[in-house]
Amino acid sequence: MNGRITTLNRLQRGIVPLVLLAVFALSPLVLKQYALILLTNTFMYIILAVSWSMFSGPTGYISLAPAAFFGAGVYTSAVLGFALPFPLIVITGGLASFCMAFLVGALTLRLRGIYFVMFTFGLVELLLNFVLWWEVTVTGTTGRVVPPLGNTTVFYFMLAILACLLLTAFRLKHSKYGFALQSIGQGEEAAAHTGIHVTALKMNTFALSAFFMGAAGVVMATRWTYIDPRIAFNPTLSFLPVLMAIFGGLGQLYGPIIGAAIFTYLEEFLITRFPYHYMLIFGITMVIAIRYLPDGLVGLVQKAWKQWSRRKHGAAQG
Amino acid sequence: MALLKGEKVTRYFGGLAAVFDVSFEVQQGEALGLIGPNGAGKTTLFNLISAALTPRPGAIYFKGRKITGLSPYRICRMGVARTFQTVKVFPDLPVLTNVMLGASFGASPGLSWGDAAEEASEILEFVELSAVRDTPAGELTLANQKRLEVARALATRPDLLLLDEIMEGLNPTEIARSMELIRSIRGRGVTIIMIEHVMKAIMNLCDRIMVLHHGSKLAEGTPGEIAASDEVIRVYLGERAHAGS
């Protein structure tokens, strides 16, 4: 009986994502352009939030570098243009971010707490100003044009990156390395003395998460078509994914997904309704969420579910 | 050849010599007790052996190989495991997972996650924690958290086990159980160095005792010799007797 349930569970686990993937893959056939673009945007934020939480969730190292890695992808896209087949550009952009994160990780992952947060955020500003300086003094421009790809193509690329990311994040979380990452977050010294190569694991995971951010940047650039350093290295793209992931809940893989989906929609809604106050409302929502939902939305639902089932259980017994 | 050898091991914190010019040898299969007043440098010596700190100057050899300057994870995989004075279990992870990490990463070669589960179950059986295997480690009693640290260390298949005050804060029953556990670990052929203030345990379990005082080695010998040493009584044992009276 028990065995049957677990195989059934495992089957369901595999089927649900596949069905979802199929639904999304077919959605451009029925969706209007606006909905398709909104969905692409949502995917982008989900990619940033999930890849961020892949590293920062278990380890507790709060990185504010997503915008730097995303921006590296955007610029890869702009520089390479049509020089390579597009899928190769996506991979190149991902690798560029991967290498950058690996180097940055080597320098900064010794830092703990607020120092790490500050350094990673400084990286975004550093890259922004460096590229700005480079473009003005060396190439003599500030902006670049990225060849457009078309909304449907962009959508499919984003979906493909998202699917790869979710598969990677899921496999990582349930592997021994996933547990090792958690142990680092709960006691780095003890982890090192338990035989875990703490530095290598942190650097590789940090770089892996940056790969997906970079890849998403490459794809997004083709939708924006015109980019400059301030668009590419927009600090908001460092904060939003973090807030979304925390809002959704870091304990489960679907936490950041739900958080990102809700927030993308909320942003869209607020921008159109309250163009001048939307950031303010956004911020207040965030403060309330962090103050009253320490385990995120998913944590809240889990808690409510536990209480409800306990009450039901108690009633049945009584 | 000694399993572990320290040559003039020294470590300063600022101007203070936490450990100064300490040389020692530990033979295969031996149990060495490390005692001394608070602040004598016992835990610092553990940190130097397990590579949390690097001796400057001085050198440490394990199985004849110089291990000074290696990373903690390498030392662990070579066969030196430790526990911590203030317990450092992974609080949100289940007890079993705590131990599996040791088996999967600390042993050499590391076990696959599946094999690690099997090995960890056996070790939990050995330290009598099977009943709480699925409990988050942070919810255990102090005595059980200390046992869990021993289990996690054992999972790395050590040749040398460093036990840092695993009886501190335990009640007499728990201390008796703890002593039993150390005996059975010795029965597995694991060499032990233990820091402990519970003299009954040190005297009963150790073949040899080393006394540290202000970072330097004050005395070394069998439990009988140490108990009879005037100097040791003056700086350490006597002090305690006074405090107790």
Side-chain angles (χ1 to χ4, degrees), chain B residues 27-77:
Chain B
Q27 304 301 326
Q28 175 80 47
E30 201 181 14
L32 175 73
L34 198 53
I35 64 172
N38 287 329
K42 305 181 296 290
T43 296
T44 307
L45 190 59
F46 268 19
N47 285 337
L48 290 165
I49 297 171
S50 65
L53 297 170
T54 316
R56 278 197 291 262
I60 296 173
Y61 299 84
F62 182 66
K63 294 179 184 167
R65 221 184 117 189
K66 189 171 174 179
I67 58 170
T68 332
L70 296 182
S71 311
Y73 83 96
R74 300 235 359 230
I75 306 272
C76 176
R77 288 179 193 176

Side-chain angles (χ1 to χ4, degrees), chain A residues 76-92:
Chain A
T76 309
S77 198
V79 170
L80 290 180
F82 279 136
L84 289 172
F86 191 66
L88 280 184
I89 300 182
V90 174
I91 292 171
T92 312

